[in-house]
Amino acid sequence: MLCYYFTGSKYGLDNLKKKRLKVSNLNNLNDPFEMLCVETADKKVKSKLTFAKDAVAQNFGILCFSGNWTNPVQWGHYAENHSGLCLVFDIHEECLREITYVPTRLSPRDIDLDTEEAAFTLMTTKFKHWHYEQEHRSILWLSGLDKESELYFRAFDDNLKIKQVIIGVNSKLKKSDIVKIVPRDVEVFHAKLHDTEFKVTRDRTK
């Protein structure tokens, strides 16, 4: 399936040149409720969740993708106010886990925190107000990734295949800047604001 990765211009160009993406640590994501989708009024439950989050952060990394590139909020939040890029990847569905969005935190009675599957539920359940992201996650063992200093990277390959590069509405980058650093079969195009709807669309004049 096609998945969309929003990034700033500098890091986007670096990703394309080095054919890789930086893998996020669970503790560095922008949602403070990561892995805390369960009610924590009970101190034992809170302790279990804290332990689980630390254990997962030490062993796993996350790549976050969207199922949609036309939402202007995504561009505003993750692509430097529309001046960055959206990298489009073809990813096998079995490599992804779709986020479930919920209106309230889960009850400890509804999830067995001692099971392996519970960890994946915790990593893929978020508050409903994040729904606009239409997020899909690739959850990766850190031990299988390339490491540089204290950062981890996932290389492009057949399971993370770059297909398109979309240049943001306010970007100073030109199509020629991108074409020269990506494979010939990668499509590069500019975005523009839609004329009648609150969304971003393809600019066919450039």
Side-chain angles (χ1 to χ4, degrees):
M1 66 178 291
L2 292 183
C3 294
Y4 304 91
Y5 181 90
F6 296 89
T7 182
S9 293
K10 179 181 180 297
Y11 291 114
L13 290 173
D14 193 53
N15 289 332
L16 293 170
K17 289 175 182 176
K18 296 182 179 180
K19 298 179 175 60
R20 67 185 190 182
L21 292 180
K22 184 175 76 70
V23 176
S24 297
N25 181 281
L26 189 68
N27 291 322
N28 295 331
L29 297 178
N30 61 0
D31 182 2
F33 284 96
E34 290 288 349
M35 289 198 71
L36 298 176
C37 58
V38 178
E39 296 172 1
T40 55
D42 186 317
K43 291 183 178 180
K44 291 183 178 179
V45 171
K46 189 171 185 176
S47 178
K48 271 190 177 183
L49 289 175
T50 301
F51 178 82
K53 184 173 182 177
D54 289 343
V56 168
Q58 289 177 25
N59 292 286
F60 292 94
I62 295 174
L63 285 176
C64 302
F65 302 94
S66 176
N68 178 19
W69 71 272
T70 64
N71 189 321
V73 179
Q74 294 267 69
W75 284 93
H77 286 173
Y78 301 114
E80 294 180 337
N81 296 323
H82 294 255
S83 66
L85 300 170
C86 178
L87 310 185
V88 185
F89 293 93
D90 187 9
I91 305 174
H92 293 306
E93 290 191 26
E94 60 266 26
C95 299
L96 297 168
R97 287 183 178 255
E98 187 173 1
I99 294 295
T100 299
Y101 299 96
V102 295
T104 58
R105 293 172 80 174
L106 307 179
S107 168
R109 297 187 297 273
D110 297 331
I111 181 171
D112 185 351
L113 296 176
D114 295 318
T115 65
E116 181 179 327
E117 188 57 33
F120 288 104
T121 298
L122 295 174
M123 281 189 278
T124 57
T125 304
K126 298 183 71 172
F127 183 40
K128 68 176 183 179
H129 284 199
W130 293 96
H131 184 265
Y132 74 93
E133 293 185 342
Q134 298 181 34
E135 187 180 347
H136 294 73
R137 288 183 169 179
S138 178
I139 300 170
L140 306 163
W141 282 97
L142 294 178
S143 58
L145 300 175
D146 298 327
K147 188 177 182 182
E148 187 176 301
S149 297
E150 295 302 313
L151 302 177
Y152 291 88
F153 297 90
R154 167 77 161 87
F156 296 176
D157 58 22
D158 287 342
N159 291 324
L160 184 66
K161 190 171 184 179
I162 184 73
K163 298 293 287 185
Q164 296 174 323
V165 179
I166 307 170
I167 302 170
V169 173
N170 297 326
S171 178
K172 295 181 180 179
L173 292 173
K174 298 178 181 178
K175 185 175 177 178
S176 58
D177 297 326
I178 309 297
V179 170
K180 64 185 179 183
I181 61 172
V182 296
R184 290 185 179 181
D185 61 346
V186 175
E187 185 181 22
V188 181
F189 61 90
H190 286 266
K192 72 169 188 174
L193 301 183
H194 198 279
D195 291 327
T196 61
E197 301 178 48
F198 284 115
K199 71 177 186 179
V200 178
T201 190
R202 181 170 183 157
D203 187 345
R204 298 188 181 278
T205 67
K206 295 182 179 180

